[in-house]
Amino acid sequence: MILQDKTILIANISGKRSTGWAIAQSLAKQGAKIAYTYQNERFGSDVKKLFEPLDAIDVGECDVTSDEDIDKLFERLGNSVNVLDGLIHTPAFAKQEDLSSNFVNTSRDGFRLALDISCYSLIALCKRALPLLEVRGGAVTALTYIGGEKAVKNYNVMGVAKSALESSIRYLALDLGPKNIRVNAISAGPMRTLAARGLKDFMVMYELIKDKAPLKRNINPSEVGDTASFLCSDLASGITGEIIHVDAGYNTIGV
Ligand SMILES: NC(=O)c1ccc[n+]([C@@H]2O[C@H](COP(=O)([O-])OP(=O)(O)OC[C@H]3O[C@@H](n4cnc5c(N)ncnc54)[C@H](O)[C@@H]3O)[C@@H](O)[C@H]2O)c1
């Protein structure tokens, strides 16, 4: 088990179909002690049930648009642990109209909201996690999508947010590297989570990737979970500032 004696915070998990839960299962299988959070109580009751069989720490709800919520989250976490070896970042959000209209119509408010939740939250969480992460060094891992590198139809402002997130990964890696904190992202292929199914024509894209990807299939969320476990482990001790693709090779092919 590659994560024995490591404590990892997953911020956050929305339910059994979420990538956060796929990651939690892999981390637990690899021996990690998991601390978890959720956006609000609407998600909380389902998420708590998922964790019942595991010996995990429920750190409660946290809306990442609120600095006060993030402060309180780490106050509560600090009451249960005095060291953190890993932080997994999953929040992403864009207004429905900004994912279904033309990109040129993106509103100022929609842009601000998407960038705040999907990118700034990583910086805000890292800042509060720092005192716990620097105790013995650690690993921060976020989730991104190819829409941050290339223009993907209907991904729109979320693609811009993912570009900013990927750039933040590199700047955070540079900032936190001297404290032996590594910062990376996993660029995952499409997975049929609830959030993804809200994207216009998601299933069309899902089928298309199956045909084009070198592995001729879509990925399983457990493969993202296992890559997160690797990145949080000492096996990845020399890797930071990277965007690792777990997409059945789709990003590597030309037209
Ligand atoms: N599903 C895919 O195809 C896919 C592919 C590549 C990357 N990703 C990324 O994986 C991550 C998880 O997405 P998912 O598909 O598992 O869906 P998800 O809905 O489970 O995850 C999105 C998360 O964002 C959280 N969130 C939104 N607004 C928030 C707020 N104000 N405060 C706190 N949390 C908030 C939700 O609670 C939820 O947990 C996202 O970053 C997503 O972009 C997903």
Side-chain angles (χ1 to χ4, degrees):
M1 288 197 284
I2 60 176
L3 297 174
Q4 198 77 54
D5 300 325
K6 291 199 188 285
T7 303
I8 299 174
L9 171 66
I10 305 183
N12 58 37
I13 298 181
S14 66
K16 70 174 180 198
R17 288 184 186 282
S18 66
T19 313
W21 175 238
I23 293 174
Q25 289 174 94
S26 178
L27 299 182
K29 216 189 303 169
Q30 293 300 336
K33 173 95 176 167
I34 296 171
Y36 64 93
T37 171
Y38 31 85
Q39 182 179 351
N40 52 40
E41 274 307 322
R42 187 166 68 86
F43 297 108
S45 54
D46 282 352
V47 173
K48 283 177 209 179
K49 278 189 206 126
L50 287 176
F51 277 96
E52 267 167 19
L54 303 178
D55 179 26
I57 305 164
D58 174 2
V59 205
E61 59 183 78
C62 175
D63 184 325
V64 294
T65 59
S66 158
D67 283 334
E68 200 190 338
D69 264 29
I70 303 176
D71 287 340
K72 283 188 184 153
L73 173 77
F74 281 94
E75 258 175 54
R76 293 192 298 272
L77 183 64
N79 291 333
S80 306
V81 303
N82 47 28
V83 59
L84 202 57
D85 302 287
L87 166 66
I88 307 286
H89 172 276
T90 71
F93 181 81
K95 287 184 176 185
Q96 196 54 48
E97 63 260 34
D98 289 330
L99 297 172
S100 51
S101 174
N102 288 342
F103 178 65
V104 73
N105 294 326
T106 308
S107 65
R108 190 182 296 273
D109 185 52
F111 188 93
R112 184 196 56 74
L113 191 65
L115 271 284
D116 186 9
I117 294 176
S118 316
C119 174
Y120 182 72
S121 61
L122 174 69
I123 303 165
L125 287 165
C126 279
K127 184 177 171 187
R128 290 1 177 260
L130 202 51
L132 291 171
L133 280 173
E134 68 185 353
V135 175
R136 56 184 183 205
V140 176
T141 306
L143 287 155
T144 185
Y145 182 59
I146 195 173
E149 297 167 55
K150 306 263 192 301
V152 173
K153 203 164 168 20
N154 299 323
Y155 205 59
N156 296 355
V157 70
M158 187 55 81
V160 177
K162 291 301 192 192
S163 295
L165 179 79
E166 292 177 15
S167 183
S168 302
I169 292 288
R170 291 183 283 271
Y171 279 98
L172 286 167
L174 185 62
D175 244 16
L176 307 185
K179 297 180 188 299
N180 196 27
I181 299 168
R182 299 179 292 104
V183 187
N184 295 291
I186 297 170
S187 183
M191 296 168 284
R192 284 185 291 179
T193 60
L194 279 183
R197 279 169 166 265
L199 286 172
K200 194 174 163 200
D201 294 334
F202 173 80
M203 283 314 291
V204 175
M205 182 178 64
Y206 189 80
E207 292 304 321
L208 191 103
I209 286 180
K210 201 156 69 182
D211 289 343
K212 295 205 164 166
L215 292 181
K216 296 289 167 230
R217 63 174 176 86
N218 276 291
I219 59 154
N220 190 306
S222 67
E223 294 173 307
V224 173
D226 289 345
T227 305
S229 287
F230 163 69
L231 286 172
C232 288
S233 80
D234 296 341
L235 295 176
S237 57
I239 302 176
T240 194
E242 288 287 354
I243 312 299
I244 311 253
H245 293 85
V246 180
D247 64 353
Y250 180 73
N251 78 94
T252 64
I253 56 161
V255 182

